[in-house]
Amino acid sequence: MNRSRRILASLVATTCLVAGVGSAAAEVDPSPGSPGAGDRYFPDYGNGGYDVIHYDVHDRVGFNRGRLSGRTELRATATQSLSRFNLDMMLKVTAVKVNGQVAEFRKTNRHELQVTPASPIAEGTDFRVQVKYAGVPKRLRWNGERPWLGNRREIVAMGEPQMAAWWFAANDHPSDKATFDISIKVPKHKKVVANGELEKITKGKSRNTWHWRAAEPMAAYLAFFGAGNFALERGRTPSGLPYVYAVSRQLNQRQREQSFNLLRTTPKVLTFLEKWLGDYPFSSTGGLVTGLEVNFALENQTRPTYPYSGGKQSSWLVAHELTHQWFGDKVAVRNWRDIWLNEGFATFFEMLWADNYGSATPQKWLLREWGYYPQSFWQLKIGEPGAARLFDYPVYQRGGMAVQALRHRIGDADFKALLRAWLADRENGSIEDFIALAEETSGEELDGFFRAWLFSSKRPARTVANGLA
Ligand code: TRP
Ligand code: ZN
């Protein structure tokens, strides 16, 4: 028993009014896993009591009625003795097995699948779960959002902070990473792209199954697939990294060529980012330009999705999504309130990449931006933006400015050392973790700096301490 459990047990023993629950019993009695991962912004995202090791997703998608059916098989380790546990799953569930045995299940609400195995699962043991489901994901709404993207010709299952539960049974919180096999069955004339590497295409009479494997741990929201009429380009970058570029055939010939040209900037952008961030963290790369009308790109691990950008060679967006491969994917947020760690750094390196081909210095950019925005821009505390404002403009822009200000404050050498140390050996991180590491790396006291940039409703004063002079 560790220290905190011992304290908890003695608290239970001295204050518990329920007969029979004492410290000795609390140690061995199986109890329900929590229905959430403890994220203040999204209490129902993720679950407690276990850690997923691997997902094996088998889905079949239809294009006419938008129906999706399938099964998720996952392997997990119990982090407590479990009488039951939850998974996040929006679709209708038809069967559940745990370790090969039929398990009881019920939906406590549309989002939460509660599973009661035939026998409890001991703390520290691995167990297998199989969930079968079916439904029409585009109809399903949760937390005021209907994140499914698709029409009769193309589907892109991607979203942030939520989408996983619309197509697989998940522990949908970035704090629980796992490896993935993603198998999607589609009509013969369609193609499927997903994360990682294409393992195999299994041909059927009228349908083919595309099996992709993501062998590096990944947060559930970064798992994705696109299914549609795609043109594919596969190869290896000059440094030997396998890539897959996919472009929707919903775009015309000229638009497709522009889109491939955008995707082809990937190796150059990666080389640029590697100078700052160290080796690219994954074993493949690429991207998908969708023909769907989407306003955002998303940093799906190894393979971002981009909207068609209207012919502008907007490789700044490529720099943004590829920065996320380090800030967001390799090191994921601990909780969603840590979003600055994703969007601030992605905006900063997007700016740095663009400046590479421009004239102004990053510090001039910072001072110009600092002088430019009205008071209302500075109101949002980007270190605590709230669930509703997670992706508001200041999270990106003030966020990117904060990174340049930090760089100016501690100097390039310490800044680079900080980036390398942050990215070296960590699956998740919080803003507090980052501040502690920044202070350790620079040997400076940075509380005031981070308060001004992340936790204040005012424009940071133009001082040396704030990296502005
Ligand atoms: N993280 C994305 C980016 O900055 C933006 C984003 C937020 C998004 N929510 C989304 C993209 C939902 C697609 C769907 O690049
Ligand atoms: Zn981003």
Side-chain angles (χ1 to χ4, degrees), residues 149 158-161 296-299 320-321 324 343 391 396:
L149 298 167
M158 63 146 182
E160 184 188 16
F296 285 103
L298 189 64
E299 61 266 26
H320 182 106
E321 302 313 326
H324 278 313
E343 301 309 342
F391 298 104
Y396 289 74

Side-chain angles (χ1 to χ4, degrees), residues 9-293:
S10 66
L11 269 175
V12 169
T14 52
T15 64
C16 191
L17 301 172
V18 182
V21 181
S23 59
E27 244 186 288
V28 291
D29 275 359
S31 57
S34 152
D39 194 298
R40 273 190 290 119
Y41 286 10
F42 304 103
D44 41 18
Y45 287 12
N47 307 282
Y50 64 93
D51 245 308
V52 180
I53 303 161
H54 184 76
Y55 293 94
D56 191 0
V57 180
H58 296 263
D59 283 355
R60 167 191 167 124
V61 293
F63 286 82
N64 289 332
R65 283 175 300 126
R67 202 178 135 81
L68 185 150
S69 61
R71 66 176 201 279
T72 299
E73 296 173 359
L74 61 87
R75 212 153 30 83
T77 305
T79 56
Q80 70 178 61
S81 178
L82 285 169
S83 58
R84 63 166 203 243
F85 60 89
N86 276 31
L87 281 161
D88 304 317
M89 174 55 351
M90 289 289 291
L91 299 162
K92 185 182 158 74
V93 173
T94 55
V96 179
K97 283 182 180 176
V98 176
N99 290 330
Q101 275 195 289
V102 172
E104 268 180 50
F105 65 92
R106 70 186 186 102
K107 280 289 202 67
T108 55
N109 59 43
R110 175 155 277 167
H111 187 266
E112 294 296 319
L113 172 66
Q114 187 185 86
V115 177
T116 307
S119 47
I121 300 161
E123 180 177 349
T125 58
D126 287 1
F127 60 104
R128 284 172 294 114
V129 186
Q130 186 190 82
V131 181
K132 290 188 177 167
Y133 43 80
V136 181
K138 69 175 176 217
R139 296 208 189 117
L140 303 174
R141 180 194 298 272
W142 189 250
N143 267 352
E145 282 183 70
R146 256 166 53 175
W148 193 255
L149 298 167
N151 59 26
R152 283 165 162 273
R153 291 191 289 180
E154 191 167 320
I155 292 164
V156 182
M158 63 146 182
E160 184 188 16
Q162 54 175 354
M163 178 55 95
W166 276 251
W167 63 284
F168 65 96
N171 191 27
D172 188 11
H173 193 265
S175 55
D176 185 5
K177 291 184 173 190
T179 53
F180 280 75
D181 280 281
I182 299 172
S183 295
I184 309 289
K185 194 176 206 174
V186 289
K188 272 191 129 38
H189 58 283
K190 302 284 189 193
K191 292 177 181 167
V192 177
V193 290
N195 314 84
E197 273 134 278
L198 180 60
E199 283 294 306
K200 193 169 172 204
I201 304 171
T202 306
K203 308 221 156 156
K205 262 235 285 293
S206 60
R207 294 176 162 263
N208 295 337
T209 302
W210 293 62
H211 172 190
W212 292 80
R213 170 170 294 163
E216 290 118 359
M218 172 160 83
Y221 84 95
L222 296 168
F224 94 112
F225 75 84
N229 303 316
F230 298 139
L232 296 187
E233 196 174 285
R234 299 174 66 183
R236 278 178 189 270
T237 67
S239 61
L241 196 63
Y243 66 78
V244 179
Y245 303 143
V247 174
S248 172
R249 290 185 184 278
Q250 289 194 80
L251 302 172
N252 68 35
Q253 175 66 42
R254 195 181 60 89
Q255 294 171 323
R256 291 209 297 271
E257 201 43 48
Q258 288 165 343
S259 300
F260 271 121
N261 283 337
L262 183 73
L263 293 172
R264 288 178 195 131
T265 62
T266 297
K268 262 201 322 202
V269 174
L270 286 180
T271 302
F272 170 79
L273 292 173
E274 281 182 324
K275 286 196 211 109
W276 285 91
L277 305 174
D279 288 348
Y280 175 70
F282 306 121
S283 53
S284 65
T285 185
L288 163 66
V289 176
T290 175
L292 297 171
E293 279 191 33

